[in-house]
């Protein structure tokens, strides 16, 4: 974890309390007890054709419920912001804590409260933005805070944010959107005036509350864009992508990723790394797939995610995650 990324609310360790199975009672995976299942959402348990509706398949819902009833802790680890979780939680039911924004936010949906967040600092954010604009002057940006989604017009064009029905289906209220150049809506020009030596991250300036910076280009393919931005700005921020076929990058505070968020959650439960099973499908899942004791990429996953996982299951549309959970609970792994 980077020293520059400081939590803005109470720690997860102090806030979460979930009973954990003892070794003998837990489902066994090749002789290792499984106490925590972590899964990405879009493209892993939710078809990309159904991302707006959040309609997770009945088989997958039943598998997750069966795991919970067996005493296994289940956590969703997603690039989605909290505001986009409602359609999924409506399908899955009472799912409790979730790790959102690629590990930058932990939120308890059952209690509707923030547990912790790890925002970017304004200096790193704007420096990375300038570096990317030097690479591609035609790039467009958006920024997620816990309160708002800041959108440049070029980023929002042809997206669900300009379509009332799609926006509402995704659980995004119009009052949550702020349109305009990020340098203006994030108040870049006033940073020197509002910061004080004793100010705290997340309280002194809008830009210091950004949990995810997004950037879109039309001049490079997704993997090439990811590699080049990591090369140029990776010393300042974490960089990944999760949208198949779209040159859209997601930036977070240095050291923040899904693995970091999952590790904090597992520690809060007293669950060791080897007792964690994880599922994913895109480059933003790589660190989580590598960190978990055992991991599966779905068959429809990006090649980088498949390479990072220990195993590959069926595709998302064929309920690949449910297949593995069912076998786990039946003692067939």
């Amino acid at each position: 974890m980077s020293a520059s990324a400081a939590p803005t609310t109470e720690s997860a360790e102090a806030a979460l309390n979930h009973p954990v199975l003892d070794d003998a009672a837990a489902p066994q995976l090749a002789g290792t007890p499984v106490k925590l299942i972590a899964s990405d959402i879009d493209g892993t348990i939710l078809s990309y054709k159904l991302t707006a509706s959040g309609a997770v398949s009945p088989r997958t819902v039943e598998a997750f419920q069966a795991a919970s009833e067996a005493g296994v802790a289940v956590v969703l680890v997603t690039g989605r912001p909290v505001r986009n979780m409602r359609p999924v939680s409506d399908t899955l039911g009472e799912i409790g804590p979730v790790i959102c924004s690629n590990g930058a936010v932990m939120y308890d949906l059952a209690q509707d409260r923030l547990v912790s967040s790890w925002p970017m600092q304004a200096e790193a954010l704007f420096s990375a933005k300038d570096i990317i604009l030097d690479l591609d002057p035609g790039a467009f940006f958006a920024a997620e805070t816990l309160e708002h989604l800041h959108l440049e017009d070029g980023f929002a064009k042809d997206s669900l944010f300009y379509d009332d029905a799609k926006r509402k289906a995704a659980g995004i209220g119009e009052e949550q959107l702020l349109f305009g150049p990020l340098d203006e809506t994030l108040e870049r020009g006033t940073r020197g005036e509002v910061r004080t030596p004793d100010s705290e991250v997340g309280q002194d300036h809008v830009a210091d509350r950004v949990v995810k910076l997004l950037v879109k280009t039309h001049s490079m393919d997704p993997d090439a864009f990811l590699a080049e931005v990591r090369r140029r700005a990776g010393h300042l921020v974490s960089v990944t992508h999760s949208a198949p076929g779209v040159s859209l990058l997601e930036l977070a505070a240095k050291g923040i990723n899904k693995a970091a968020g999952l590790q904090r959650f597992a520690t809060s439960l007293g669950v060791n790394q080897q007792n964690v099973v994880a599922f994913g499908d895109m480059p933003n899942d790589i660190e989580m797939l590598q960190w978990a004791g055992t991991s599966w990429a779905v068959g429809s996953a990006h090649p980088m995610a498949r390479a990072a996982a220990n195993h590959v299951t069926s595709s998302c549309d064929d309920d690949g995650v449910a297949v593995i959970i069912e076998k786990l609970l039946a003692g067939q792994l």
Side-chain angles (χ1 to χ4, degrees):
M1 185 65 61
S2 168
S4 66
T8 60
T9 60
E10 61 185 301
S11 69
E13 291 81 357
L16 300 175
N17 183 19
H18 185 289
V20 176
L21 293 171
D22 60 35
D23 288 358
Q28 303 292 307
L29 174 58
T32 300
V34 174
K35 302 182 181 183
L36 173 59
I37 293 173
S39 179
D40 171 53
I41 298 175
D42 298 289
T44 299
I45 62 169
L46 177 63
S47 171
Y48 283 116
K49 296 176 290 187
L50 300 171
T51 53
S53 69
V56 178
S57 75
R59 182 178 181 181
T60 297
V61 172
E62 290 174 7
F64 274 71
Q65 290 175 342
S68 295
E69 290 168 2
V72 179
V74 175
V75 64
L76 299 178
V77 189
T78 178
R80 288 184 177 222
V82 174
R83 71 175 64 87
N84 288 13
M85 286 301 300
R86 290 302 173 191
V88 178
S89 64
D90 287 347
T91 302
L92 288 175
E94 201 76 16
I95 56 178
V98 292
I99 300 167
C100 295
S101 298
N102 290 327
V105 176
M106 188 179 295
Y107 197 90
D108 192 331
L109 287 174
Q111 298 185 29
D112 195 20
R113 69 181 181 91
L114 176 67
V115 176
S116 60
S117 64
W118 300 76
M120 306 175 74
Q121 290 185 349
E123 183 177 358
L125 184 158
F126 289 125
S127 294
K129 180 174 177 289
D130 290 344
I131 289 171
I132 294 169
L133 283 174
D134 184 62
L135 169 65
D136 178 10
F140 295 105
F141 295 84
E144 289 274 6
T145 69
L146 293 170
E147 301 86 10
H148 296 103
L149 174 58
H150 298 248
L151 288 158
E152 295 186 342
D153 286 344
F155 190 99
K157 186 178 180 182
D158 299 325
S159 74
L160 65 84
F161 304 110
Y162 274 178
D163 185 304
D164 287 343
K166 290 181 180 178
R167 188 176 67 241
K168 290 176 181 177
I172 302 170
E174 188 173 353
E175 73 282 355
Q176 296 173 314
L177 304 178
L178 294 176
F179 292 95
L182 253 58
D183 283 8
E184 295 180 10
T185 64
L186 296 182
E187 302 174 2
R188 181 174 189 166
T190 64
R191 284 189 64 239
E193 300 171 17
V194 299
R195 292 176 69 94
T196 66
D198 296 324
S199 63
E200 296 181 13
V201 171
Q203 296 179 355
D204 61 341
H205 190 261
V206 176
D208 285 314
R209 298 197 295 272
V210 172
V211 292
K212 184 164 69 170
L213 178 68
L214 301 103
V215 55
K216 184 172 14 178
T217 183
H218 300 295
S219 65
M220 302 176 70
D221 71 55
D223 292 341
F225 193 33
L226 174 64
E228 189 60 22
V229 172
R230 278 182 172 171
R231 185 181 73 82
R232 297 187 182 209
H235 62 293
L236 295 170
V237 292
S238 294
V239 188
T240 190
H241 82 78
S242 65
V246 181
S247 293
L248 171 64
L249 301 186
E250 303 168 46
L251 283 62
K254 183 68 177 174
I256 296 297
N257 53 49
K258 289 189 176 185
L262 179 57
Q263 182 176 14
R264 289 195 300 272
F265 182 74
T267 298
S268 75
L269 301 182
V271 173
N272 294 324
Q273 181 178 1
Q274 65 266 26
N275 304 122
V276 179
V277 165
F279 299 94
D281 80 307
M282 286 297 287
N284 65 328
D285 297 312
I286 289 173
E287 292 87 354
M288 177 175 72
L289 294 171
Q290 292 174 331
W291 179 84
T294 311
S295 60
W296 275 266
V298 293
S300 45
H302 187 287
M304 292 169 65
R306 291 170 65 102
N310 301 119
H311 308 282
V312 177
T313 182
S314 305
S315 72
C316 173
D317 290 345
D318 292 327
D319 296 310
V321 172
V323 169
I324 298 303
I325 293 176
E326 290 165 357
K327 290 182 177 180
L328 171 67
L329 299 179
Q332 297 174 356
L333 292 177

